[in-house]
């Protein structure tokens, strides 16, 4: 009626949501939607989570749905995997993915391989989630990126969100998936606000696992990243744009299965490729992308060798100045782009 009277109706505006709140929304909505879903991990219940991701959920859903565990990753991960085999849908939180090494036998041998080894008769619908990669000043034993480790293993799906929409949509998709999913979050992004569209505010919003997103269109070079480095790529693209270089920025979102088709299509358009990641260089995510491009049809469109930007090949130092030099910065991406373009 208002439209007939000539009044202009504005669409509901997007809102600013932090990655922390997006993850909390996803957990709340999925706990409400499916009674088989439950969350377990260290301090997830009464303390509201070490990073406040599970804030308010214990009070809302109680001890049976949000469970504090002892400090024993092998133990509570084994419980979660067994629960998934029995028909529940656990979300298993690691206080940092570095601690998942205590439980890697459960993640790989018990969760990832069971569907195949049971000829498909046993599904393991479980999500392993928590902060991955470098934080700030937490040194080597709390700073490793596990994208390449878990991306290496058949039987797992591996997702790595950047924005609030990524975090919400991928976590909801992971919880609903019948396969074990490793969700690698960034502690440094938890408090960062992102614009969340009206669509993403819906309780039914999910992001398909295995599909990358082009965050910025460009014509001169393709930048591919996941997690926090996507933001660095966007900043580098803004800097380079002032110099007449237009970067196409691809947010991988999923490490396994990898959306190499989106990367190939971009390389065919730009003829140049730079990969960016916070993990170590050897056998890394960027190395896999470069190999896949070399082996596929897009290789013939490259005008220069692909360039990788990675973390330094050292255990993460504690000192801030050394830490900064061990993690890819915007200036490193700008340098790599100019190297690829020979400018």
């Amino acid at each position: 009626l208002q439209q007939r009277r000539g009044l202009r109706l504005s669409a509901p505006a997007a809102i600013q949501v932090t990655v922390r709140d997006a993850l909390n929304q996803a957990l709340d909505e999925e706990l409400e939607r499916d009674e088989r879903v439950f969350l377990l991990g260290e301090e997830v219940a009464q303390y509201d989570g070490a990073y406040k991701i599970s804030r308010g959920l214990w009070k809302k859903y109680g001890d049976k749905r949000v469970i504090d565990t002892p400090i024993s990753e092998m133990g509570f991960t084994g419980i979660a995997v067994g629960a998934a085999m029995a028909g529940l849908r656990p979300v298993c939180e690691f206080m940092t993915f570095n601690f998942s090494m205590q439980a890697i036998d459960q993640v790989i041998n018990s969760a990832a391989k069971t569907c195949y080894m049971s000829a498909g008769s046993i599904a393991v619908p479980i999500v392993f989630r928590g902060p991955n990669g470098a934080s700030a000043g937490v040194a080597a034993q709390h700073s490793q990126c596990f994208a390449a480790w878990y991306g290496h293993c058949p039987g797992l799906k591996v997702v790595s969100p950047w924005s609030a929409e990524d975090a919400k949509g991928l976590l909801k998709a992971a919880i609903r998936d019948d396969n074990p999913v490793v969700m690698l979050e960034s502690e440094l992004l938890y408090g960062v606000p992102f614009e969340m569209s009206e669509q993403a505010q819906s309780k039914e919003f999910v992001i398909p696992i295995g599909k990358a997103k082009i965050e910025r269109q460009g014509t001169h070079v393709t930048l591919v990243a996941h997690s926090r480095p996507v933001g660095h790529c966007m900043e580098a693209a803004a800097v380079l744009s002032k110099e007449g270089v237009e970067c196409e920025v691809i947010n991988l979102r999923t490490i396994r299965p990898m959306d190499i088709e989106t990367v190939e299509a971009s390389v065919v358009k730009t003829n140049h490729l730079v990969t960016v990641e916070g993990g170590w260089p050897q056998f890394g995510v960027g190395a896999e992308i470069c190999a896949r491009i070399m082996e596929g049809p897009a290789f013939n469109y490259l005008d220069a060798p692909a360039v990788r930007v990675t973390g330094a090949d050292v255990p993460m130092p504690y000192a801030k100045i050394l830490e900064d030099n061990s993690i890819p910065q915007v200036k490193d991406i700008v340098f790599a782009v100019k190297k690829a373009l020979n400018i």
Side-chain angles (χ1 to χ4, degrees):
L1 184 60
Q2 286 176 313
Q3 284 178 322
R4 287 178 182 175
R5 290 172 179 167
L7 296 176
R8 184 177 178 182
L9 295 179
S10 59
I15 59 173
Q16 292 281 316
V17 177
T18 64
V19 171
R20 174 183 289 109
D21 288 342
L23 291 166
N24 181 266
Q25 284 177 28
L27 287 169
D28 189 7
E29 290 169 7
E30 293 306 302
L31 284 162
E32 182 180 65
R33 175 181 172 272
D34 189 341
E35 64 181 11
R36 296 171 298 172
V37 176
F38 70 99
L39 173 67
L40 79 168
E42 295 154 359
E43 300 182 352
V44 300
Q46 296 186 44
Y47 188 65
D48 279 343
Y51 308 98
K52 305 305 177 208
I53 303 299
S54 52
R55 184 178 57 242
L57 299 181
W58 174 67
K59 289 181 180 177
K60 184 173 182 179
Y61 295 101
D63 288 323
K64 290 187 177 181
R65 305 288 302 283
V66 184
I67 303 169
D68 277 331
T69 66
I71 303 174
S72 175
E73 280 76 16
M74 180 180 285
F76 70 72
T77 306
I79 289 170
V81 172
M85 291 176 176
L88 298 179
R89 306 186 83 87
V91 179
C92 179
E93 177 178 309
F94 296 121
M95 197 175 286
T96 158
F97 256 94
N98 296 264
F99 302 159
S100 75
M101 282 194 283
Q102 299 290 329
I104 202 163
D105 181 59
Q106 302 287 2
V107 177
I108 304 302
N109 279 328
S110 299
K113 299 176 182 177
T114 292
C115 184
Y116 180 84
M117 295 181 73
S118 66
S121 63
I122 301 176
V124 188
I126 185 171
V127 179
F128 304 102
R129 55 154 297 271
N132 169 72
S135 181
V138 294
Q141 292 176 345
H142 297 73
S143 298
Q144 185 174 336
C145 176
F146 286 85
W149 279 46
Y150 288 119
H152 181 64
C153 301
L156 291 178
K157 294 184 178 182
V158 183
V159 298
S160 182
W162 169 54
S163 67
E165 284 197 7
D166 290 351
K168 181 179 181 181
L170 288 172
L171 180 53
K172 289 170 72 74
I175 292 171
R176 298 181 188 191
D177 201 291
D178 287 333
N179 298 280
V181 181
V182 172
M183 181 153 173
L184 304 171
E185 301 155 13
S186 169
E187 181 185 341
L188 294 173
L189 289 175
Y190 282 155
V192 177
F194 288 88
E195 192 172 89
M196 183 175 279
S197 66
E198 180 193 4
Q199 179 189 13
Q201 295 168 45
S202 163
K203 288 186 177 182
E204 291 307 309
F205 174 72
V206 295
I207 290 173
I209 293 174
K211 184 62 182 169
K213 180 186 179 186
I214 298 175
E215 298 287 352
R216 178 187 175 116
Q217 295 283 347
T219 54
H220 295 124
V221 61
T222 298
L223 296 178
V224 186
H226 65 95
S227 191
R228 187 165 173 259
V230 175
H232 295 337
C233 288
M234 294 293 281
E235 291 180 44
V239 170
L240 287 160
S241 181
K242 295 175 182 177
E243 300 181 29
V245 176
E246 296 300 330
C247 302
E248 183 145 294
V249 179
I250 296 178
N251 173 9
L252 270 182
R253 284 181 164 173
T254 305
I255 307 300
R256 184 184 186 105
M258 185 177 286
D259 182 5
I260 202 66
E261 292 80 13
T262 294
V263 180
E264 284 180 335
S266 180
V267 170
V268 167
K269 180 171 70 170
T270 68
N271 311 117
H272 297 89
L273 172 65
V274 174
T275 67
V276 186
E277 63 191 304
W280 293 318
Q282 190 155 323
F283 313 117
V285 174
E288 174 66 16
I289 294 169
C290 291
R292 299 276 284 274
I293 291 298
M294 185 191 72
E295 293 168 350
F299 174 73
N300 296 313
Y301 290 84
L302 280 175
D303 287 343
V307 179
R308 290 182 294 157
V309 180
T310 72
D313 198 19
V314 296
M316 184 64 68
Y318 170 72
K320 179 168 174 32
I321 190 167
L322 296 176
E323 181 183 69
D324 288 345
N325 281 282
S326 298
I327 302 170
Q329 306 293 336
V330 172
K331 62 180 175 61
D332 302 316
I333 300 169
V334 170
F335 178 83
V337 168
K338 290 183 176 181
K339 177 182 177 182
L341 293 174
N342 195 29
I343 58 176

